[in-house]
Amino acid sequence: MTQPLQNLEQLLDRVSTVARQNERVSIEMVIESIGSRSFGPLLMLIGITLFSPLSGIPGMSFFMAAFVLLVAVQMLIGRKRFWLPHFILNRSVEHKKLQKALDWLSKPARGIDRVLKPRLTFLVQRGGSYGIAALCVVVGLCMPLMELVPFSSSAAGLALLILGLSLVAHDGLLALLATVIFGGAFSFLIIHLL
């Protein structure tokens, strides 16, 4: 049984292990390594993908939006284990590209992990986690539009990464920060589309 993740560095280490062992790394391989029972690590995975250089792959925002919506809706309805369709699970990337993105993120991950601690836990446990799932539905619905405005999907990715971290570390302050970041990205999107 996979041990629950405690921080961002552990997530990157697990994904890096999969990348070193395979020529191409599928989403299914990554999810198996981090566990499919926890909403936080899956959000972190989506956030890392959108915030990293991998977000430059055409259509990545649209694809990740579908992933966010599937996971968030399943959390809202109370599923204990997440189901994802094969078209998402089979998507893969070359291990060299993935490892380059992971290397790029490793130093910031160590710094971020130093400041994580349980705070304002009511925002990330029980009812609060449903609020986070609802926010993720909104983010997922907005992401296809973010493909039209440069860097807005990276901001949404950062917000999703922080939301995932808040669930893993039981840090409600991070959930508030992610809400502010997404609010800023949404405002930026609206200004540029009008």
Side-chain angles (χ1 to χ4, degrees):
M1 180 115 190
T2 307
Q3 291 286 81
L5 294 170
Q6 301 296 316
N7 58 40
L8 183 55
E9 202 169 1
Q10 287 178 0
L11 174 75
L12 295 177
D13 287 344
R14 288 195 191 170
V15 176
S16 183
T17 299
V18 172
R20 285 191 303 268
Q21 295 171 350
N22 298 282
E23 192 64 32
R24 289 194 67 81
V25 180
S26 71
I27 290 180
E28 183 174 23
M29 292 173 182
V30 173
I31 289 174
E32 284 176 10
S33 73
I34 63 173
S36 62
R37 293 179 183 265
S38 180
F39 187 59
L42 289 175
L43 269 184
M44 289 166 52
L45 173 66
I46 295 165
I48 286 170
T49 303
L50 288 170
F51 190 64
S52 75
L54 292 174
S55 66
I57 297 171
M60 185 61 78
S61 292
F62 184 77
F63 173 71
M64 285 292 133
F67 196 173
V68 170
L69 288 171
L70 277 169
V71 172
V73 167
Q74 289 179 64
M75 184 181 181
L76 283 172
I77 63 173
R79 285 186 58 109
K80 299 294 181 206
R81 184 174 175 86
F82 296 106
W83 171 86
L84 295 170
H86 286 290
F87 83 90
I88 289 180
L89 293 173
N90 292 336
R91 293 281 299 207
S92 65
V93 66
E94 291 178 26
H95 78 280
K96 288 179 184 178
K97 286 183 181 179
L98 180 59
Q99 192 60 55
K100 183 178 179 181
L102 294 171
D103 292 342
W104 181 78
L105 290 165
S106 65
K107 188 174 180 179
R110 283 191 295 276
I112 290 167
D113 287 343
R114 283 190 210 112
V115 298
L116 296 178
K117 63 182 176 180
R119 296 177 275 216
L120 304 173
T121 56
F122 67 93
L123 292 173
V124 293
Q125 294 174 342
R126 297 185 191 95
S129 64
Y130 289 106
I132 289 173
L135 178 61
C136 289
V137 169
V138 174
V139 172
L141 291 172
C142 292
M143 283 176 61
L145 290 175
M146 291 180 172
E147 190 89 11
L148 304 173
V149 179
F151 305 111
S152 60
S153 63
S154 293
L158 179 61
L160 291 169
L161 171 58
I162 293 171
L163 283 173
L165 277 170
S166 73
L167 291 171
V168 168
H170 304 290
D171 193 338
L173 188 60
L174 285 179
L176 291 175
L177 175 63
T179 303
V180 169
I181 290 170
F182 177 67
F186 184 72
S187 300
F188 184 74
L189 176 69
I190 296 300
I191 289 168
H192 281 80
L193 289 178
L194 293 179

